[in-house]
């Protein structure tokens, strides 16, 4: 009778352990037609949701400003010494996104950039094209001929935290990028991540909002959060089973637990027989 109860306990332990380790495909599969949503069929056209297509520049952003005119020597006066040469020759030595940090113009806390000769120009609160026109208007006073100004942010910078293959701040060298571009760059999350609870921290003019995104949901393609923006922060939560170990060593952890359980049951059986 005692031996039978030991077997029952052992089988029950196995069932609990394996049940806790089972993860439904519905929790790890991207872009599903989830219940309660209008199904989106294959090859169906999905219009983009309304979103702020033109990123609004904010304090502490870094922008690249370049000038071109018939008088090349004069345009050099309006650039920091050596920045043009660094842009042309330094891209091979470091990531192009990082290069903008060294050669670009930082927007200060009050929203201004300091441009040689031109002084402070306020561009925070404007999109790239509006900011470009502001700088172009300021420099025209020094030129008889037309002068062209190029102003752009140094790619889309975002920060990935949590259950990604790698975390940290990264740069997508695109003018427009999707949430899946960011997930791919950060390393596709393992099976122990809550893909239905990706938190997106987004900077707005004067503040911040936290949004929750479901990567399992096909309706995300029509969401305003399908495209990421500069300075977004992505945080991917782990599942509760994460306490047993990472995806790559979960089987080892379960094997260890089962070995310890078997040893304890054997010791209990031997001890009770000797009583």
């Amino acid at each position: 009778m005692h031996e039978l109860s030991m077997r029952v306990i052992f089988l029950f332990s196995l069932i609990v352990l394996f049940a806790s380790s089972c993860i439904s495909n519905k929790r790890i599969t991207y872009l599903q037609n989830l219940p309660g949503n209008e199904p989106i069929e294959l090859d169906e056209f999905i219009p983009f949701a309304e979103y702020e297509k033109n990123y609004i520049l904010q304090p502490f952003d870094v922008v690249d400003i370049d000038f071109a005119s018939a008088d090349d020597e004069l345009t050099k006066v309006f650039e920091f010494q050596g920045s043009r040469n660094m842009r042309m020759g330094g891209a091979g030595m470091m990531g192009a996104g990082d290069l903008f940090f060294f050669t670009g113009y930082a927007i200060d806390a009050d929203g201004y950039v300091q441009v040689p000769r031109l002084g402070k120009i306020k561009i925070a609160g404007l999109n790239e094209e509006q900011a470009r026109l502001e700088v172009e208007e300021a420099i025209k006073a020094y030129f008889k001929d037309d002068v062209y100004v190029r102003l752009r942010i140094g790619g889309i910078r975002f920060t990935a935290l949590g259950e990604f293959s790698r975390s940290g701040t990264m740069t997508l060298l695109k003018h427009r990028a999707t949430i899946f571009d960011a997930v791919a760059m950060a390393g596709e999350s393992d099976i122990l991540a809550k893909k239905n609870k990706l938190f997106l921290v987004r900077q707005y003019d004067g503040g911040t909002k936290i949004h929750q995104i479901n990567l399992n949901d096909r309706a995300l393609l029509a969401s305003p959060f399908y495209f990421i923006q500069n300075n977004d922060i992505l945080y991917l939560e782990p599942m509760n089973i994460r306490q047993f170990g990472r995806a790559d060593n979960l089987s080892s952890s379960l094997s260890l637990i089962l070995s310890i359980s078997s040893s304890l049951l054997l010791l209990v059986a031997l001890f009770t027989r000797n009583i």
Side-chain angles (χ1 to χ4, degrees):
M1 182 67 181
H2 184 73
E3 184 177 351
L4 178 62
S5 64
M6 288 293 100
R7 289 180 179 177
V8 171
I9 294 173
F10 180 70
L11 289 174
F12 178 75
S13 300
L14 283 177
I15 292 171
V16 170
L17 286 172
F18 282 109
S20 65
S21 64
C22 291
I23 300 174
S24 170
N25 281 340
K26 291 183 178 180
R27 302 188 67 178
I28 61 176
T29 304
Y30 293 118
L31 301 177
Q32 305 170 58
N33 276 318
L34 298 182
N37 292 341
E38 188 71 24
I40 299 175
E41 304 301 332
L42 294 178
D43 301 320
E44 180 178 338
F45 180 75
I46 307 170
F48 292 138
E50 288 295 326
Y51 74 105
E52 184 55 60
K53 297 180 177 65
N54 292 315
Y55 175 72
I56 302 301
L57 298 172
Q58 302 172 29
F60 309 111
D61 279 348
V62 177
V63 295
D64 179 57
I65 304 176
D66 199 12
F67 307 97
S69 74
D71 191 342
D72 189 56
E73 290 301 317
L74 182 56
T75 57
K76 290 180 181 179
V77 175
F78 300 92
E79 295 185 341
F80 288 110
Q81 187 175 9
S83 62
R84 179 179 295 191
N85 292 334
M86 188 178 293
R87 279 197 300 270
M88 294 175 63
M93 295 183 292
M94 63 184 74
D98 295 329
L99 185 63
F100 280 110
F101 181 80
F102 295 99
T103 65
Y105 298 77
I107 304 176
D108 65 22
D110 297 319
Y112 291 86
V113 288
Q114 180 80 40
V115 182
R117 291 277 186 171
L118 301 181
K120 286 190 172 184
I121 303 174
K122 187 167 186 177
I123 61 172
L126 306 177
N127 61 38
E128 287 182 338
E129 178 60 18
Q130 292 169 335
R132 185 190 73 80
L133 292 174
E134 283 288 317
V135 177
E136 192 173 85
E137 188 64 29
I139 199 174
K140 277 182 178 179
Y142 294 86
F143 287 83
K144 294 179 181 179
D145 300 322
D146 290 337
V147 58
Y148 176 75
V149 175
R150 183 178 66 182
L151 185 148
R152 56 184 176 172
I153 59 173
I156 300 175
R157 293 172 179 269
F158 70 96
T159 300
L161 301 171
E163 292 295 306
F164 290 103
S165 297
R166 61 191 185 100
S167 60
T169 300
M170 303 163 214
T171 303
L172 284 161
L173 297 180
K174 295 184 176 183
H175 287 291
R176 187 175 73 174
T178 71
I179 190 72
F180 292 105
D181 289 324
V183 169
M185 176 168 274
E188 186 178 16
S189 55
D190 59 39
I191 63 172
L192 300 184
K194 290 183 179 179
K195 292 185 173 67
N196 64 329
K197 287 187 178 181
L198 171 65
F199 291 99
L200 185 151
V201 181
R202 176 159 291 176
Q203 313 299 317
Y204 293 90
D205 190 16
T208 301
K209 290 183 182 180
I210 302 176
H211 307 283
Q212 184 173 308
I213 296 173
N214 187 349
L215 296 175
N216 301 138
D217 192 355
R218 192 172 292 185
L220 173 62
L221 299 175
S223 163
F225 307 113
Y226 179 55
F227 294 101
I228 66 168
Q229 294 186 7
N230 205 36
N231 299 320
D232 278 353
I233 300 172
L234 307 180
Y235 172 66
L236 200 54
E237 275 193 350
M239 295 182 186
N240 293 334
I241 196 174
R242 179 68 166 79
Q243 60 189 315
F244 288 104
R246 294 181 54 84
D248 53 4
N249 66 13
L250 182 57
S251 59
S252 299
S253 300
L254 289 175
S255 298
L256 178 61
I257 293 172
L258 290 174
S259 298
I260 294 174
S261 300
S262 301
S263 300
L264 289 174
L265 288 172
L266 179 60
L267 289 173
V268 170
L270 291 173
F271 179 75
T272 52
R273 282 182 180 180
N274 294 328
I275 294 178

